[in-house]
Amino acid sequence: AQSVTQLGSHVSVSEGALVLLRCNYSSSVPPYLFWYVQYPNQGLQLLLKYTTGATLVKGINGFEAEFKKSETSFHLTKPSAHMSDAAEYFCAVLSGGYNKLIFGAGTRLAVHP
Amino acid sequence: GAGVSQSPSNKVTEKGKDVELRCDPISGHTALYWYRQSLGQGLEFLIYFQGNSAPDKSGLPSDRFSAERTGGSVSTLTIQRTQQEDSAVYLCASSLGREEKLFFGSGTQLSVL
């Protein structure tokens, strides 16, 4: 069965520091991978996705993620954190013969001055 | 409408009562998902509709939960004989296809007393 593991339910960084949110997946077939973000009191929205092709994917707000098949990972990074990046981030994998999108438990990112 | 609409936004009910949650997806979106979001639990997949295909019901937690999608558009999630552990935010999302970006509604906050 396909699954997603997000390491660290809470991550705290200083403004201007590197953001690294970890995601590992389990999939018996080449996966489609996604990162969604949920800002406080807002609905979820897509940050970026990997389907095929280039393994380094760029998304909105300066975020990017790299698909590493050998490590079954799809970690999310941003070179310099901004206060407005404080939110909950969800990694997701399209699974089961590409029928349903399975989400990880989420990582809450806090950014402090 | 411009986005995914869910109603009601809040529902308080007594244990043992039945509830119906409604989702109006974006017009033309063939894929529709229901998820449940509990504190610290991430997004739990419930059910997936794709066009005229049989729905993927593998995430429904018990036979008290059911969902239908009429005319390939509006969907209703029904919970019978509600229990306190059903309290959560129920999210609906739609997309143009399985691997496409999901558009989420604002959710229904269900509280079972």
Side-chain angles (χ1 to χ4, degrees):
Chain A
Q2 280 70 16
S3 65
V4 177
T5 302
Q6 291 185 241
L7 299 176
S9 58
H10 290 81
V11 171
S12 182
V13 300
S14 299
E15 190 173 19
L18 171 72
V19 175
L20 171 61
L21 304 182
R22 299 178 186 274
C23 172
N24 288 87
Y25 68 89
S26 169
S27 176
S28 58
V29 297
Y32 289 177
L33 296 159
F34 304 77
W35 276 99
Y36 280 81
V37 60
Q38 188 173 32
Y39 296 104
N41 300 314
Q42 293 187 31
L44 282 96
Q45 56 184 284
L46 181 68
L47 262 183
L48 49 80
K49 69 175 183 179
Y50 167 80
T51 53
T52 58
T55 57
L56 182 62
V57 180
K58 295 186 184 300
I60 62 172
N61 301 336
F63 283 93
E64 60 183 37
E66 187 171 10
F67 169 58
K68 292 187 176 180
K69 184 178 178 180
S70 61
E71 298 177 8
T72 61
S73 69
F74 191 57
H75 301 331
L76 181 71
T77 60
K78 182 174 180 177
S80 176
H82 193 273
M83 298 295 287
S84 61
D85 294 327
E88 188 151 22
Y89 293 79
F90 295 91
C91 182
V93 61
L94 196 55
S95 72
Y98 304 102
N99 279 333
K100 61 190 183 189
L101 192 62
I102 302 299
F103 283 83
T107 297
R108 186 166 297 277
L109 175 67
V111 182
H112 51 85
Chain B
V4 178
S5 177
Q6 291 188 246
S7 60
S9 55
N10 282 281
K11 176 71 176 178
V12 180
T13 190
E14 294 179 350
K15 178 181 172 181
K17 300 283 189 182
D18 298 352
V19 296
E20 283 190 354
L21 312 180
R22 178 188 169 101
C23 173
D24 281 277
I26 293 173
S27 178
H29 280 193
T30 58
L32 187 148
Y33 293 82
W34 282 97
Y35 290 90
R36 179 166 68 175
Q37 186 174 23
S38 305
L39 208 58
Q41 298 296 314
L43 275 74
E44 177 187 5
F45 168 80
L46 296 178
I47 188 168
Y48 165 71
F49 296 90
Q50 173 59 52
N52 296 320
S53 302
D56 181 340
K57 304 180 181 180
S58 60
L60 295 178
S62 76
D63 58 8
R64 296 187 295 105
F65 288 73
S66 63
E68 63 177 19
R69 188 178 185 190
T70 54
S73 180
V74 171
S75 178
T76 302
L77 177 68
T78 301
I79 308 173
Q80 296 178 312
R81 305 180 302 281
T82 51
Q83 303 295 312
Q84 288 183 333
E85 60 263 29
D86 300 334
S87 297
V89 175
Y90 289 81
L91 293 169
C92 176
S94 70
S95 74
L96 288 169
R98 292 173 299 188
E99 69 274 17
E100 299 299 326
K101 169 182 175 180
L102 291 189
F103 292 80
F104 281 85
S106 298
T108 294
Q109 173 74 61
L110 175 65
S111 300
V112 182
L113 305 179

